[in-house]
Amino acid sequence: MKSAGACTAWLLVTLLLAGCGKSAPDQPPPLFPGAPTFDLLSDEFPVESLFGPLPAPEFVQLSYLEDIELRPGATPVEHLFELMIRKGSQGSMGRVRSEFTFAETNSHAVEESLQVADLFEFFTYAYEPATATAPETVTRSYVAQIDQVLGQLFPLAVENRLMFEVTRHYQVERDGERAEAQTLEFAYDMRVDRKVDPANYPSVSLTEPVWVIQILEVDPDGVEHRREAHFSPEIGMPIFDARRRGGVVTTRRLVRWER
């Protein structure tokens, strides 16, 4: 997927690996120690050169209700976002902590990420506690390189389009045993589809239009995953989205937000 004519190539590996200590001889080395932090990003990280000038997030906390259609009658998941922006960092890049409470099993999962407006994640740390059917699982991933950038998404306008390719490093740990790290390549195609009147979202008090962004992710196996994100520049995050991965459809809608 890489070529000598790539428009943009960002290498973040050295930032992440510099702090890794020695691992036990029977364990593959970790991608990076612990959850991601802003210290892994340089202040000059060119977010806007990829996406364009994004609006700064205008909230301190968001709460979403998430519904995963795994089977008929699946229990909705309460999904809480908490945003923390590092002093001096670009407003469009934030560290987001997401907490998921699964009422059906009374279990709790946590995901921390460094991301751009919930449209694209650069770093991810996800923790899922053990259940009766699955072991404790920790997933870590980060973007090592971005290539073949074409177009721009922001400032939002109908038919704006952004396409790029990503090399992502990924590692899973189950019950304390780390799997070998993988290098995976993805392709993304993001397009602004339409502008929607804010009155169409009565559960959220908005005054500015909402923009619908169609997102196509092609995974390393060539499988297409589609997402429709209803992005509010007024908040700086999507207020609704629907994602399809294989036979699983996940919908998420904003139910509360605090400035």
Side-chain angles (χ1 to χ4, degrees):
M1 297 175 70
K2 306 294 176 285
S3 70
C7 302
T8 309
W10 302 331
L11 294 178
L12 305 180
V13 181
T14 54
L15 292 173
L16 297 167
L17 297 184
C20 292
K22 294 182 179 179
S23 59
D26 58 342
Q27 285 271 36
L31 287 179
F32 51 82
T37 72
F38 277 114
D39 293 336
L40 300 175
L41 288 176
S42 67
D43 289 332
E44 295 77 27
F45 192 83
V47 173
E48 293 192 353
S49 69
L50 175 60
F51 283 89
L54 287 95
E58 294 293 337
F59 65 90
V60 294
Q61 183 169 292
L62 301 179
S63 292
Y64 290 84
L65 192 63
E66 188 166 87
D67 189 7
I68 304 174
E69 297 181 13
L70 291 173
R71 62 191 185 282
T75 303
V77 176
E78 185 72 20
H79 179 201
L80 176 67
F81 267 130
E82 295 177 353
L83 176 71
M84 295 165 282
I85 301 177
R86 174 183 142 191
K87 183 178 179 180
S89 69
Q90 297 187 39
S92 54
M93 171 68 78
R95 177 177 179 176
V96 173
R97 177 183 176 87
S98 301
E99 297 188 12
F100 302 82
T101 300
F102 302 90
E104 189 176 64
T105 58
N106 194 30
S107 62
H108 192 72
V110 174
E111 178 178 296
E112 292 193 75
S113 62
L114 290 170
Q115 50 144 278
V116 177
D118 197 31
L119 297 175
F120 182 75
E121 294 182 350
F122 287 94
F123 304 84
T124 304
Y125 169 89
Y127 169 75
E128 298 180 23
T131 66
T133 58
E136 178 184 82
T137 303
V138 176
T139 303
R140 299 176 174 91
S141 71
Y142 64 88
V143 171
Q145 188 166 315
I146 297 179
D147 288 311
Q148 305 286 27
V149 180
L150 180 63
Q152 183 172 297
L153 205 62
F154 290 84
L156 294 171
V158 175
E159 297 302 328
N160 275 11
R161 190 174 185 182
L162 172 64
M163 294 178 286
F164 55 97
E165 297 176 353
V166 170
T167 300
R168 187 182 293 273
H169 295 320
Y170 176 90
Q171 189 174 45
V172 177
E173 183 177 317
R174 291 187 175 91
D175 277 346
E177 294 292 325
R178 283 191 298 268
E180 290 287 350
Q182 300 180 62
T183 298
L184 307 174
E185 297 195 0
F186 296 81
Y188 292 87
D189 187 343
M190 303 181 176
R191 176 177 56 85
V192 182
D193 183 50
R194 62 190 185 275
K195 181 169 66 173
V196 181
D197 190 303
N200 289 335
Y201 307 89
S203 62
V204 185
S205 181
L206 299 174
T207 60
E208 299 179 11
V210 172
W211 301 82
V212 177
I213 303 173
Q214 303 290 345
I215 302 174
L216 170 65
E217 177 193 77
V218 181
D219 70 19
D221 295 323
V223 178
E224 296 184 349
H225 307 286
R226 296 184 180 273
R227 176 186 178 194
E228 180 176 287
H230 295 221
F231 186 88
S232 168
E234 187 174 351
I235 298 177
M237 294 279 278
I239 61 172
F240 173 85
D241 68 49
R243 312 176 191 212
R244 179 182 294 276
R245 283 181 171 270
V248 179
V249 177
T250 303
T251 56
R252 180 188 301 169
R253 60 183 175 86
L254 182 65
V255 292
R256 292 182 299 274
W257 67 292
E258 300 175 14
R259 289 186 183 275

